[in-house]
Amino acid sequence: MVEYRIDRHSGVATYVQIVQQTKQALRLGLLEPGDKLPTAREVVEATAINPNTVLKAYRELEREGLVEARRGLGTFVRRTLGTAPADDSPLLAELDAWVDKARKAGLDRDDVAALFTAVLDKRSQGDPS
């Protein structure tokens, strides 16, 4: 089950955070087709956000074809995303070790995210270096 973490200071709309975290869980295999998302009530109790915000996020995920609402039963995953490595993957262990090195070098979470994104962006523009 996915547990949403809402960062009220991120500048990212709350419903977008829920959508992003759901997609991340789908990419990492934490959610699979057939899994049930937490009810709006459960998300509200855990995060103290407006239930309409949760419903807006779930509608967006449904619009993208990732989940489906079943009347009276809840919202269920329709399909997964990506093929991220499993928890015991060597690639994940290497990335974990790299993050440890970055932290020891004094980088905080945002620094690491910015650096990682910059490298991904550079690679996606065709620069293999």
Side-chain angles (χ1 to χ4, degrees):
M1 166 113 28
V2 63
E3 293 181 19
Y4 298 108
R5 301 167 317 281
I6 304 302
D7 181 354
R8 298 183 194 313
H9 305 290
S10 69
V12 177
T14 304
Y15 88 94
V16 173
Q17 292 182 48
I18 292 172
V19 169
Q20 290 172 338
Q21 290 173 30
T22 303
K23 287 180 177 179
Q24 183 176 7
L26 291 169
R27 287 192 188 286
L28 295 175
L30 301 174
L31 286 173
E32 297 181 351
D35 286 348
K36 183 179 178 183
L37 295 183
T39 65
R41 173 188 276 179
E42 290 169 334
V43 177
V44 167
E45 288 175 1
T47 61
I49 61 174
N50 186 309
N52 289 327
T53 302
V54 180
L55 296 175
K56 183 176 182 179
Y58 284 9
R59 280 193 305 269
E60 177 65 19
L61 291 164
E62 189 172 9
R63 189 188 64 73
E64 294 183 27
L66 298 173
V67 302
E68 65 181 333
R70 298 180 190 161
R71 186 175 292 275
L73 298 176
T75 303
F76 293 84
V77 173
R78 289 187 68 195
R79 65 180 178 92
T80 189
L81 292 169
T83 55
D87 284 347
D88 59 351
S89 152
L91 187 60
L92 188 59
E94 289 175 27
L95 184 57
D96 195 45
W98 181 85
V99 170
D100 282 344
K101 287 170 61 176
R103 292 282 173 108
K104 287 177 184 169
L107 301 178
D108 66 16
R109 185 184 193 288
D110 291 338
D111 295 334
V112 170
L115 186 59
F116 190 76
T117 301
V119 171
L120 284 176
D121 289 349
K122 186 176 175 182
R123 293 288 177 114
S124 68
Q125 293 171 358
D127 184 351
S129 60

